[in-house]
């Protein structure tokens, strides 16, 4: 793989963050190189997402970004086919205890100007989703939310970057960020160095390994979420569905993608890296201990001992191994979904997969162009809901790389929040 020796913007990671950044920066006339260690795009988080492009049910600070992102996804769908469906999002309520949570989420949405978000009783919910003939109490509804096939959406943005002139390099690992005199000057890679005044790191769970090379600590805990996909069934619903215990969407081909939904149980491989930032993680781990399955990853611990480091870039795998899948968890979610949509009873699961999620201590992203050397932008910690945001993250990273500032509201996502004052605890595990 031959890399250009220089670029205006060097982007690390061809998940949705990096792909959308490369496309936006190249469209604005910059010379761009997009580098990923894997052999193609979307091999990590972005290719494993459920594919809900969800606006509702977010922290207030994320609403403006999510609204713009869904608008950008909708415009992109006129240019490429990635199974985009705008069917709205339903949060099903199956118990009384969930009502205060959903009321709070509706209030947050209204405060952000999303006045279409509303609470429905079961009868009105069934007018929107007639196949939901099983027992439930109501739902929270947002008509603007959408869905797409995530690996196709990411590949679309990579292709769009290529069309706009970006150089795409798969199978190349970035081993170090380069800086001189407080400015970023490029990156070192397994295919040689690339020099440039702006570097965007969208490296998902591996971001802390790279930022450490310029002395920046980014608190990310990798956890695994699981999904399944059924055999094709008759067309039943176009909405994305979320609830405590299940989440789903139906693809245009009839397959139903099922996740464990709100506040899902996740798996974390315990390693020596967990000793970094214990102050930040312990409160979250303790309050969500029922949602956290811990496995000791002895192979990784031995590697860390051999490297005498928990964050060396030598510990970033060239090709990431398949994450462990919690099949019983998502089988149970399919059973709960089938309780609400009885026509899904008997639908066979044909594919299971797990994906690494980059969670932060407060469950909010890190979007920051000021934390490190001038010219470095970090976008990570998308905490299990960042696929939606991809296109707007690309615009933000481009603003920061080419203009040094952005008009989009990102102050709440600064890395400094983890070192200045107390850190808010999220309301749910994921
Ligand atoms: C099971 C699951 C379900 C999800 N469902 C949804 C959903 O429905 N809706 C939603 O909005 N979000 C969802 N998410 C979250 C979403 O997938 C992520 O927030 C988003 O895809 C992260 O994108 P990214 O580009 O930042 O990171 P990634 O997609 O993880 O990409 C990072 C890339 O960086 C590359 N990389 C890392 N280190 C290096 C290096 N040193 N050199 C070169 N390349 C490197 C990796 O190979 C990788 O390709 C889900 C996640 C999972 C796992």
């Amino acid at each position: 793989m031959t890399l250009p020796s220089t670029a205006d913007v060097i982007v690390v990671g061809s998940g949705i963050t990096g792909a959308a950044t490369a496309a936006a920066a190249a469209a604005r006339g910059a010379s761009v190189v997009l580098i990923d260690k894997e052999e193609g795009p979307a091999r990590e988080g972005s290719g494993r997402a459920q594919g809900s492009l969800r606006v509702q049910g977010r922290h207030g600070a994320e609403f403006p970004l999510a609204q713009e992102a869904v608008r950008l996804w909708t415009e992109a769908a006129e240019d490429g086919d990635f199974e985009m469906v705008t069917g709205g999002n339903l949060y099903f309520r199956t118990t009384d205890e969930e009502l205060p949570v959903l009321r709070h989420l509706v209030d947050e949405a209204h405060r952000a100007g999303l006045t279409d978000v509303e609470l429905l009783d079961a009868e009105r919910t069934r007018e929107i989703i007639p196949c939901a003939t099983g027992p439930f109490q109501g739902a929270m509804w947002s008509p603007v939310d959408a869905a797409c096939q995530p690996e196709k959406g990411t590949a679309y943005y990579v292709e769009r970057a290529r069309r706009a002139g970006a150089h795409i390099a798969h199978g190349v690992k970035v081993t170090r960020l380069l800086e001189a005199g407080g400015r970023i000057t490029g990156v070192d890679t397994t295919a040689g160095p690339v020099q440039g005044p702006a570097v965007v790191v969208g490296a998902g769970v591996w971001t802390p390994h790279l930022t450490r090379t310029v002395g920046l600590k980014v608190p990310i805990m990798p956890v695994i979420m699981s999904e399944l996909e059924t055999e094709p069934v008759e067309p039943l619903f176009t909405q994305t569905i979320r609830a405590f215990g299940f989440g789903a969407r139906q693809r245009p081909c009839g397959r139903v993608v099922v996740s464990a939904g709100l506040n899902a149980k996740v798996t974390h491989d315990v390693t020596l890296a967990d000793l970094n930032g214990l102050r930040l993680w312990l409160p979250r781990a303790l309050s969500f201990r029922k949602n956290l399955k811990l496995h000791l990853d002895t192979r990784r611990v031995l590697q860390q001992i051999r490297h005498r480091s928990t964050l060396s870039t030598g510990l970033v795998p060239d090709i990431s191994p398949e994450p462990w899948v919690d099949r019983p968890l998502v089988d149970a979610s399919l059973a709960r979904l089938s309780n609400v949509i009885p026509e899904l009873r008997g639908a066979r699961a044909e594919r299971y997969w797990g994906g690494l999620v980059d969670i932060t201590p407060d469950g909010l992203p890190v979007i920051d162009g000021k934390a490190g050397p001038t010219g470095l932008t970090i976008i990570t910690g998308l905490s299990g809901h960042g696929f939606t945001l991809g296109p707007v993250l690309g615009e933000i990273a481009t603003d920061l790389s080419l203009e040094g500032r952005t008009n989009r509201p990102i102050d709440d996502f600064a890395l400094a929040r983890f070192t200045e004052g107390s850190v808010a605890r999220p309301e749910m595990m994921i």
Side-chain angles (χ1 to χ4, degrees), residues 50 83 85 147-149 151-152 227-239 247-258 334 337 344 347-353:
Q50 188 187 33
E83 301 186 18
V85 177
C148 79
Q149 188 59 13
E151 76 282 3
K152 290 187 184 176
E227 303 270 337
L228 68 73
E229 188 174 82
T230 68
E231 62 188 329
V233 296
E234 64 178 297
L236 290 169
F237 58 96
T238 54
Q239 301 78 16
R249 72 179 175 96
Q250 185 169 27
R251 296 177 57 184
C253 62
R255 295 179 188 279
V256 179
V257 184
V258 179
L334 176 57
L337 175 69
L344 282 174
R348 237 173 351 102
E350 281 193 344
R351 189 164 78 90
Y352 293 84
W353 67 95

mmCIF file of all heavy atoms in Angstrom, residues 50 83 85 147-149 151-152 227-239 247-258 334 337 344 347-353:
data_model
loop_
_atom_site.group_PDB
_atom_site.id
_atom_site.type_symbol
_atom_site.label_atom_id
_atom_site.label_comp_id
_atom_site.label_asym_id
_atom_site.label_seq_id
_atom_site.Cartn_x
_atom_site.Cartn_y
_atom_site.Cartn_z
ATOM 1 N N GLN A 50 -26.972 -1.788 15.055
ATOM 2 C CA GLN A 50 -28.310 -2.244 14.670
ATOM 3 C C GLN A 50 -28.802 -1.463 13.455
ATOM 4 O O GLN A 50 -29.587 -1.975 12.672
ATOM 5 C CB GLN A 50 -29.274 -2.026 15.836
ATOM 6 C CG GLN A 50 -30.617 -2.656 15.552
ATOM 7 C CD GLN A 50 -31.640 -2.324 16.612
ATOM 8 O OE1 GLN A 50 -31.615 -1.243 17.195
ATOM 9 N NE2 GLN A 50 -32.523 -3.250 16.850
ATOM 10 N N GLU A 83 -30.340 1.080 2.132
ATOM 11 C CA GLU A 83 -31.554 0.575 2.798
ATOM 12 C C GLU A 83 -32.137 1.587 3.782
ATOM 13 O O GLU A 83 -32.615 1.222 4.853
ATOM 14 C CB GLU A 83 -31.291 -0.755 3.521
ATOM 15 C CG GLU A 83 -30.808 -1.865 2.635
ATOM 16 C CD GLU A 83 -30.688 -3.200 3.360
ATOM 17 O OE1 GLU A 83 -31.287 -3.381 4.443
ATOM 18 O OE2 GLU A 83 -29.966 -4.077 2.816
ATOM 19 N N VAL A 85 -34.705 3.785 5.545
ATOM 20 C CA VAL A 85 -36.159 3.769 5.738
ATOM 21 C C VAL A 85 -36.479 4.806 6.811
ATOM 22 O O VAL A 85 -35.910 4.764 7.900
ATOM 23 C CB VAL A 85 -36.647 2.380 6.234
ATOM 24 C CG1 VAL A 85 -38.150 2.403 6.505
ATOM 25 C CG2 VAL A 85 -36.286 1.280 5.246
ATOM 26 N N ALA A 147 -33.784 4.432 9.793
ATOM 27 C CA ALA A 147 -32.891 3.269 9.940
ATOM 28 C C ALA A 147 -32.181 3.039 8.612
ATOM 29 O O ALA A 147 -32.655 3.474 7.556
ATOM 30 C CB ALA A 147 -33.701 2.032 10.315
ATOM 31 N N CYS A 148 -31.044 2.376 8.670
ATOM 32 C CA CYS A 148 -30.365 1.969 7.437
ATOM 33 C C CYS A 148 -29.489 0.765 7.741
ATOM 34 O O CYS A 148 -29.370 0.347 8.897
ATOM 35 C CB CYS A 148 -29.548 3.115 6.851
ATOM 36 S SG CYS A 148 -27.965 3.390 7.654
ATOM 37 N N GLN A 149 -28.911 0.185 6.686
ATOM 38 C CA GLN A 149 -28.020 -0.961 6.861
ATOM 39 C C GLN A 149 -26.619 -0.393 7.095
ATOM 40 O O GLN A 149 -26.029 0.222 6.199
ATOM 41 C CB GLN A 149 -28.103 -1.865 5.621
ATOM 42 C CG GLN A 149 -27.390 -3.178 5.750
ATOM 43 C CD GLN A 149 -27.916 -4.039 6.911
ATOM 44 O OE1 GLN A 149 -28.971 -3.787 7.484
ATOM 45 N NE2 GLN A 149 -27.159 -5.037 7.286
ATOM 46 N N GLU A 151 -23.349 -1.225 7.484
ATOM 47 C CA GLU A 151 -22.097 -1.378 6.727
ATOM 48 C C GLU A 151 -22.262 -0.750 5.335
ATOM 49 O O GLU A 151 -21.297 -0.228 4.761
ATOM 50 C CB GLU A 151 -21.635 -2.845 6.662
ATOM 51 C CG GLU A 151 -22.350 -3.779 5.722
ATOM 52 C CD GLU A 151 -23.701 -4.263 6.258
ATOM 53 O OE1 GLU A 151 -24.114 -3.820 7.341
ATOM 54 O OE2 GLU A 151 -24.351 -5.088 5.571
ATOM 55 N N LYS A 152 -23.502 -0.767 4.822
ATOM 56 C CA LYS A 152 -23.720 -0.137 3.513
ATOM 57 C C LYS A 152 -23.661 1.386 3.636
ATOM 58 O O LYS A 152 -23.132 2.071 2.764
ATOM 59 C CB LYS A 152 -25.090 -0.544 2.957
ATOM 60 C CG LYS A 152 -25.175 -2.001 2.532
ATOM 61 C CD LYS A 152 -26.495 -2.262 1.834
ATOM 62 C CE LYS A 152 -26.633 -3.733 1.480
ATOM 63 N NZ LYS A 152 -27.942 -4.042 0.879
ATOM 64 N N GLU A 227 -26.208 -8.754 18.899
ATOM 65 C CA GLU A 227 -27.358 -8.579 17.989
ATOM 66 C C GLU A 227 -27.662 -9.918 17.339
ATOM 67 O O GLU A 227 -26.794 -10.798 17.280
ATOM 68 C CB GLU A 227 -27.004 -7.610 16.848
ATOM 69 C CG GLU A 227 -26.548 -6.241 17.263
ATOM 70 C CD GLU A 227 -27.664 -5.220 17.417
ATOM 71 O OE1 GLU A 227 -28.748 -5.392 16.804
ATOM 72 O OE2 GLU A 227 -27.464 -4.258 18.183
ATOM 73 N N LEU A 228 -28.882 -10.061 16.826
ATOM 74 C CA LEU A 228 -29.187 -11.193 15.929
ATOM 75 C C LEU A 228 -30.024 -10.685 14.776
ATOM 76 O O LEU A 228 -30.611 -9.611 14.846
ATOM 77 C CB LEU A 228 -29.893 -12.334 16.672
ATOM 78 C CG LEU A 228 -31.310 -12.179 17.207
ATOM 79 C CD1 LEU A 228 -32.389 -12.184 16.136
ATOM 80 C CD2 LEU A 228 -31.608 -13.327 18.179
ATOM 81 N N GLU A 229 -30.063 -11.502 13.722
ATOM 82 C CA GLU A 229 -30.904 -11.187 12.570
ATOM 83 C C GLU A 229 -31.693 -12.433 12.223
ATOM 84 O O GLU A 229 -31.136 -13.534 12.174
ATOM 85 C CB GLU A 229 -30.013 -10.778 11.396
ATOM 86 C CG GLU A 229 -30.773 -10.256 10.213
ATOM 87 C CD GLU A 229 -29.837 -9.733 9.135
ATOM 88 O OE1 GLU A 229 -29.324 -10.563 8.349
ATOM 89 O OE2 GLU A 229 -29.607 -8.532 9.065
ATOM 90 N N THR A 230 -32.997 -12.285 12.011
ATOM 91 C CA THR A 230 -33.832 -13.459 11.700
ATOM 92 C C THR A 230 -33.783 -13.774 10.209
ATOM 93 O O THR A 230 -33.295 -12.981 9.402
ATOM 94 C CB THR A 230 -35.305 -13.202 12.077
ATOM 95 O OG1 THR A 230 -35.833 -12.206 11.191
ATOM 96 C CG2 THR A 230 -35.466 -12.756 13.523
ATOM 97 N N GLU A 231 -34.348 -14.916 9.889
ATOM 98 C CA GLU A 231 -34.616 -15.226 8.481
ATOM 99 C C GLU A 231 -35.616 -14.177 7.964
ATOM 100 O O GLU A 231 -36.271 -13.510 8.774
ATOM 101 C CB GLU A 231 -35.253 -16.622 8.412
ATOM 102 C CG GLU A 231 -36.585 -16.673 9.152
ATOM 103 C CD GLU A 231 -37.161 -18.076 9.265
ATOM 104 O OE1 GLU A 231 -36.921 -18.882 8.362
ATOM 105 O OE2 GLU A 231 -37.834 -18.344 10.268
ATOM 106 N N PRO A 232 -35.744 -14.029 6.636
ATOM 107 C CA PRO A 232 -36.727 -13.065 6.126
ATOM 108 C C PRO A 232 -38.143 -13.489 6.516
ATOM 109 O O PRO A 232 -38.474 -14.670 6.440
ATOM 110 C CB PRO A 232 -36.543 -13.139 4.602
ATOM 111 C CG PRO A 232 -35.220 -13.773 4.384
ATOM 112 C CD PRO A 232 -34.970 -14.671 5.557
ATOM 113 N N VAL A 233 -38.941 -12.536 6.979
ATOM 114 C CA VAL A 233 -40.358 -12.802 7.259
ATOM 115 C C VAL A 233 -41.167 -11.759 6.499
ATOM 116 O O VAL A 233 -40.618 -10.802 5.956
ATOM 117 C CB VAL A 233 -40.678 -12.739 8.782
ATOM 118 C CG1 VAL A 233 -39.944 -13.822 9.550
ATOM 119 C CG2 VAL A 233 -40.326 -11.372 9.372
ATOM 120 N N GLU A 234 -42.495 -11.938 6.475
ATOM 121 C CA GLU A 234 -43.324 -10.994 5.697
ATOM 122 C C GLU A 234 -43.149 -9.574 6.258
ATOM 123 O O GLU A 234 -42.834 -9.408 7.444
ATOM 124 C CB GLU A 234 -44.789 -11.417 5.784
ATOM 125 C CG GLU A 234 -45.309 -11.340 7.205
ATOM 126 C CD GLU A 234 -46.773 -11.701 7.325
ATOM 127 O OE1 GLU A 234 -47.598 -10.985 6.740
ATOM 128 O OE2 GLU A 234 -47.065 -12.684 8.012
ATOM 129 N N PRO A 235 -43.364 -8.555 5.413
ATOM 130 C CA PRO A 235 -43.203 -7.178 5.908
ATOM 131 C C PRO A 235 -44.184 -6.900 7.042
ATOM 132 O O PRO A 235 -45.387 -7.084 6.896
ATOM 133 C CB PRO A 235 -43.552 -6.307 4.687
ATOM 134 C CG PRO A 235 -43.486 -7.204 3.515
ATOM 135 C CD PRO A 235 -43.736 -8.599 3.982
ATOM 136 N N LEU A 236 -43.671 -6.488 8.204
ATOM 137 C CA LEU A 236 -44.517 -6.261 9.378
ATOM 138 C C LEU A 236 -44.483 -4.810 9.855
ATOM 139 O O LEU A 236 -45.512 -4.232 10.179
ATOM 140 C CB LEU A 236 -44.060 -7.173 10.531
ATOM 141 C CG LEU A 236 -44.336 -8.668 10.356
ATOM 142 C CD1 LEU A 236 -43.611 -9.475 11.428
ATOM 143 C CD2 LEU A 236 -45.831 -8.941 10.430
ATOM 144 N N PHE A 237 -43.280 -4.215 9.917
ATOM 145 C CA PHE A 237 -43.201 -2.847 10.451
ATOM 146 C C PHE A 237 -42.021 -2.100 9.827
ATOM 147 O O PHE A 237 -41.047 -2.722 9.389
ATOM 148 C CB PHE A 237 -43.091 -2.861 11.986
ATOM 149 C CG PHE A 237 -41.914 -3.616 12.535
ATOM 150 C CD1 PHE A 237 -40.746 -2.955 12.872
ATOM 151 C CD2 PHE A 237 -41.957 -5.009 12.711
ATOM 152 C CE1 PHE A 237 -39.654 -3.653 13.380
ATOM 153 C CE2 PHE A 237 -40.875 -5.707 13.212
ATOM 154 C CZ PHE A 237 -39.717 -5.024 13.552
ATOM 155 N N THR A 238 -42.172 -0.770 9.766
ATOM 156 C CA THR A 238 -41.105 0.069 9.203
ATOM 157 C C THR A 238 -40.450 0.919 10.289
ATOM 158 O O THR A 238 -39.442 1.583 10.031
ATOM 159 C CB THR A 238 -41.665 1.032 8.136
ATOM 160 O OG1 THR A 238 -42.734 1.771 8.723
ATOM 161 C CG2 THR A 238 -42.146 0.283 6.904
ATOM 162 N N GLN A 239 -41.034 0.936 11.489
ATOM 163 C CA GLN A 239 -40.475 1.742 12.586
ATOM 164 C C GLN A 239 -39.239 1.036 13.163
ATOM 165 O O GLN A 239 -39.112 -0.179 13.054
ATOM 166 C CB GLN A 239 -41.492 1.897 13.733
ATOM 167 C CG GLN A 239 -42.809 2.548 13.355
ATOM 168 C CD GLN A 239 -43.751 1.604 12.628
ATOM 169 O OE1 GLN A 239 -43.574 0.389 12.636
ATOM 170 N NE2 GLN A 239 -44.740 2.177 11.969
ATOM 171 N N GLY A 247 -34.951 -4.473 21.254
ATOM 172 C CA GLY A 247 -34.917 -3.412 20.252
ATOM 173 C C GLY A 247 -34.950 -4.093 18.903
ATOM 174 O O GLY A 247 -34.513 -5.252 18.791
ATOM 175 N N ALA A 248 -35.483 -3.440 17.867
ATOM 176 C CA ALA A 248 -35.580 -4.126 16.576
ATOM 177 C C ALA A 248 -35.806 -3.148 15.439
ATOM 178 O O ALA A 248 -36.242 -2.019 15.646
ATOM 179 C CB ALA A 248 -36.735 -5.122 16.614
ATOM 180 N N ARG A 249 -35.485 -3.625 14.242
ATOM 181 C CA ARG A 249 -35.958 -2.968 13.022
ATOM 182 C C ARG A 249 -36.094 -4.055 11.972
ATOM 183 O O ARG A 249 -35.425 -5.108 12.079
ATOM 184 C CB ARG A 249 -34.983 -1.879 12.563
ATOM 185 C CG ARG A 249 -33.698 -2.431 11.995
ATOM 186 C CD ARG A 249 -32.773 -1.327 11.540
ATOM 187 N NE ARG A 249 -31.500 -1.910 11.122
ATOM 188 C CZ ARG A 249 -31.194 -2.211 9.862
ATOM 189 N NH1 ARG A 249 -32.031 -1.976 8.878
ATOM 190 N NH2 ARG A 249 -30.020 -2.763 9.562
ATOM 191 N N GLN A 250 -36.969 -3.837 11.012
ATOM 192 C CA GLN A 250 -37.098 -4.826 9.934
ATOM 193 C C GLN A 250 -36.492 -4.247 8.666
ATOM 194 O O GLN A 250 -36.831 -3.130 8.257
ATOM 195 C CB GLN A 250 -38.565 -5.201 9.698
ATOM 196 C CG GLN A 250 -38.694 -6.321 8.676
ATOM 197 C CD GLN A 250 -40.083 -6.926 8.585
ATOM 198 O OE1 GLN A 250 -41.074 -6.247 8.891
ATOM 199 N NE2 GLN A 250 -40.167 -8.172 8.148
ATOM 200 N N ARG A 251 -35.592 -5.013 8.058
ATOM 201 C CA ARG A 251 -34.948 -4.569 6.829
ATOM 202 C C ARG A 251 -35.913 -4.701 5.650
ATOM 203 O O ARG A 251 -36.844 -5.517 5.705
ATOM 204 C CB ARG A 251 -33.690 -5.408 6.567
ATOM 205 C CG ARG A 251 -32.631 -5.242 7.622
ATOM 206 C CD ARG A 251 -31.440 -6.148 7.338
ATOM 207 N NE ARG A 251 -30.857 -5.894 6.018
ATOM 208 C CZ ARG A 251 -29.855 -6.599 5.489
ATOM 209 N NH1 ARG A 251 -29.337 -7.612 6.171
ATOM 210 N NH2 ARG A 251 -29.383 -6.293 4.303
ATOM 211 N N PRO A 252 -35.694 -3.954 4.573
ATOM 212 C CA PRO A 252 -36.573 -4.086 3.407
ATOM 213 C C PRO A 252 -36.634 -5.525 2.882
ATOM 214 O O PRO A 252 -37.644 -5.940 2.311
ATOM 215 C CB PRO A 252 -35.945 -3.144 2.379
ATOM 216 C CG PRO A 252 -35.215 -2.120 3.211
ATOM 217 C CD PRO A 252 -34.723 -2.859 4.425
ATOM 218 N N CYS A 253 -35.596 -6.340 3.112
ATOM 219 C CA CYS A 253 -35.599 -7.736 2.647
ATOM 220 C C CYS A 253 -36.410 -8.637 3.578
ATOM 221 O O CYS A 253 -36.558 -9.833 3.316
ATOM 222 C CB CYS A 253 -34.171 -8.267 2.532
ATOM 223 S SG CYS A 253 -33.319 -8.290 4.134
ATOM 224 N N GLY A 254 -36.938 -8.120 4.661
ATOM 225 C CA GLY A 254 -37.788 -8.896 5.570
ATOM 226 C C GLY A 254 -37.084 -9.387 6.827
ATOM 227 O O GLY A 254 -37.740 -9.784 7.787
ATOM 228 N N ARG A 255 -35.765 -9.376 6.838
ATOM 229 C CA ARG A 255 -35.045 -9.833 8.043
ATOM 230 C C ARG A 255 -35.261 -8.837 9.176
ATOM 231 O O ARG A 255 -35.271 -7.619 8.934
ATOM 232 C CB ARG A 255 -33.546 -9.960 7.769
ATOM 233 C CG ARG A 255 -33.215 -11.027 6.751
ATOM 234 C CD ARG A 255 -31.721 -11.089 6.490
ATOM 235 N NE ARG A 255 -31.452 -11.984 5.376
ATOM 236 C CZ ARG A 255 -31.388 -13.312 5.484
ATOM 237 N NH1 ARG A 255 -31.548 -13.886 6.665
ATOM 238 N NH2 ARG A 255 -31.165 -14.057 4.434
ATOM 239 N N VAL A 256 -35.386 -9.359 10.397
ATOM 240 C CA VAL A 256 -35.574 -8.484 11.552
ATOM 241 C C VAL A 256 -34.289 -8.499 12.377
ATOM 242 O O VAL A 256 -33.799 -9.575 12.762
ATOM 243 C CB VAL A 256 -36.773 -8.947 12.415
ATOM 244 C CG1 VAL A 256 -36.944 -8.029 13.632
ATOM 245 C CG2 VAL A 256 -38.051 -8.950 11.575
ATOM 246 N N VAL A 257 -33.725 -7.311 12.593
ATOM 247 C CA VAL A 257 -32.496 -7.182 13.393
ATOM 248 C C VAL A 257 -32.928 -6.901 14.833
ATOM 249 O O VAL A 257 -33.713 -5.985 15.075
ATOM 250 C CB VAL A 257 -31.613 -6.020 12.872
ATOM 251 C CG1 VAL A 257 -30.303 -5.956 13.648
ATOM 252 C CG2 VAL A 257 -31.357 -6.160 11.377
ATOM 253 N N VAL A 258 -32.418 -7.716 15.763
ATOM 254 C CA VAL A 258 -32.889 -7.630 17.157
ATOM 255 C C VAL A 258 -31.709 -7.368 18.092
ATOM 256 O O VAL A 258 -30.669 -8.026 18.003
ATOM 257 C CB VAL A 258 -33.579 -8.952 17.569
ATOM 258 C CG1 VAL A 258 -34.061 -8.882 19.016
ATOM 259 C CG2 VAL A 258 -34.753 -9.252 16.642
ATOM 260 N N LEU A 334 -35.566 -11.486 21.378
ATOM 261 C CA LEU A 334 -36.472 -11.863 20.280
ATOM 262 C C LEU A 334 -37.782 -12.421 20.849
ATOM 263 O O LEU A 334 -38.871 -12.129 20.340
ATOM 264 C CB LEU A 334 -35.788 -12.890 19.367
ATOM 265 C CG LEU A 334 -36.635 -13.457 18.226
ATOM 266 C CD1 LEU A 334 -37.175 -12.346 17.314
ATOM 267 C CD2 LEU A 334 -35.832 -14.462 17.379
ATOM 268 N N LEU A 337 -39.828 -9.480 22.024
ATOM 269 C CA LEU A 337 -40.375 -8.772 20.856
ATOM 270 C C LEU A 337 -41.561 -9.549 20.282
ATOM 271 O O LEU A 337 -42.597 -8.976 19.918
ATOM 272 C CB LEU A 337 -39.268 -8.611 19.805
ATOM 273 C CG LEU A 337 -39.659 -8.000 18.475
ATOM 274 C CD1 LEU A 337 -40.010 -6.511 18.643
ATOM 275 C CD2 LEU A 337 -38.521 -8.130 17.448
ATOM 276 N N LEU A 344 -44.094 -12.707 14.907
ATOM 277 C CA LEU A 344 -42.666 -13.055 14.871
ATOM 278 C C LEU A 344 -42.359 -14.356 15.614
ATOM 279 O O LEU A 344 -41.229 -14.841 15.573
ATOM 280 C CB LEU A 344 -41.829 -11.917 15.473
ATOM 281 C CG LEU A 344 -41.622 -10.719 14.548
ATOM 282 C CD1 LEU A 344 -40.915 -9.594 15.284
ATOM 283 C CD2 LEU A 344 -40.799 -11.138 13.322
ATOM 284 N N ALA A 347 -39.997 -17.117 14.219
ATOM 285 C CA ALA A 347 -38.993 -16.601 13.265
ATOM 286 C C ALA A 347 -37.617 -17.085 13.723
ATOM 287 O O ALA A 347 -37.248 -16.923 14.889
ATOM 288 C CB ALA A 347 -39.028 -15.076 13.227
ATOM 289 N N ARG A 348 -36.875 -17.705 12.819
ATOM 290 C CA ARG A 348 -35.585 -18.298 13.184
ATOM 291 C C ARG A 348 -34.466 -17.260 13.125
ATOM 292 O O ARG A 348 -34.388 -16.501 12.146
ATOM 293 C CB ARG A 348 -35.261 -19.419 12.210
ATOM 294 C CG ARG A 348 -35.022 -20.761 12.885
ATOM 295 C CD ARG A 348 -34.872 -21.912 11.903
ATOM 296 N NE ARG A 348 -35.177 -21.631 10.521
ATOM 297 C CZ ARG A 348 -34.269 -21.421 9.558
ATOM 298 N NH1 ARG A 348 -32.982 -21.470 9.824
ATOM 299 N NH2 ARG A 348 -34.658 -21.194 8.306
ATOM 300 N N ALA A 349 -33.601 -17.270 14.138
ATOM 301 C CA ALA A 349 -32.411 -16.404 14.089
ATOM 302 C C ALA A 349 -31.411 -17.059 13.144
ATOM 303 O O ALA A 349 -31.081 -18.238 13.304
ATOM 304 C CB ALA A 349 -31.812 -16.256 15.477
ATOM 305 N N GLU A 350 -30.935 -16.316 12.147
ATOM 306 C CA GLU A 350 -29.981 -16.896 11.189
ATOM 307 C C GLU A 350 -28.560 -16.371 11.373
ATOM 308 O O GLU A 350 -27.619 -16.952 10.855
ATOM 309 C CB GLU A 350 -30.447 -16.589 9.758
ATOM 310 C CG GLU A 350 -31.551 -17.530 9.324
ATOM 311 C CD GLU A 350 -31.816 -17.483 7.844
ATOM 312 O OE1 GLU A 350 -31.385 -16.526 7.159
ATOM 313 O OE2 GLU A 350 -32.478 -18.406 7.349
ATOM 314 N N ARG A 351 -28.424 -15.243 12.058
ATOM 315 C CA ARG A 351 -27.079 -14.667 12.208
ATOM 316 C C ARG A 351 -26.992 -13.974 13.566
ATOM 317 O O ARG A 351 -27.937 -13.295 13.975
ATOM 318 C CB ARG A 351 -26.833 -13.640 11.088
ATOM 319 C CG ARG A 351 -25.431 -13.120 10.991
ATOM 320 C CD ARG A 351 -25.214 -12.441 9.634
ATOM 321 N NE ARG A 351 -25.784 -11.114 9.566
ATOM 322 C CZ ARG A 351 -25.152 -9.992 9.886
ATOM 323 N NH1 ARG A 351 -23.890 -10.046 10.304
ATOM 324 N NH2 ARG A 351 -25.731 -8.814 9.774
ATOM 325 N N TYR A 352 -25.874 -14.201 14.259
ATOM 326 C CA TYR A 352 -25.610 -13.523 15.537
ATOM 327 C C TYR A 352 -24.275 -12.796 15.412
ATOM 328 O O TYR A 352 -23.367 -13.308 14.752
ATOM 329 C CB TYR A 352 -25.447 -14.534 16.676
ATOM 330 C CG TYR A 352 -26.681 -15.317 17.059
ATOM 331 C CD1 TYR A 352 -27.042 -16.460 16.357
ATOM 332 C CD2 TYR A 352 -27.460 -14.920 18.141
ATOM 333 C CE1 TYR A 352 -28.166 -17.196 16.718
ATOM 334 C CE2 TYR A 352 -28.585 -15.642 18.514
ATOM 335 C CZ TYR A 352 -28.931 -16.776 17.802
ATOM 336 O OH TYR A 352 -30.039 -17.498 18.168
ATOM 337 N N TRP A 353 -24.140 -11.644 16.050
ATOM 338 C CA TRP A 353 -22.837 -11.001 16.101
ATOM 339 C C TRP A 353 -22.709 -10.095 17.323
ATOM 340 O O TRP A 353 -23.702 -9.701 17.923
ATOM 341 C CB TRP A 353 -22.553 -10.185 14.832
ATOM 342 C CG TRP A 353 -23.413 -8.975 14.631
ATOM 343 C CD1 TRP A 353 -23.115 -7.706 14.989
ATOM 344 C CD2 TRP A 353 -24.705 -8.919 14.006
ATOM 345 N NE1 TRP A 353 -24.137 -6.853 14.639
ATOM 346 C CE2 TRP A 353 -25.129 -7.576 14.028
ATOM 347 C CE3 TRP A 353 -25.541 -9.871 13.423
ATOM 348 C CZ2 TRP A 353 -26.342 -7.160 13.517
ATOM 349 C CZ3 TRP A 353 -26.766 -9.454 12.908
ATOM 350 C CH2 TRP A 353 -27.157 -8.117 12.950
#
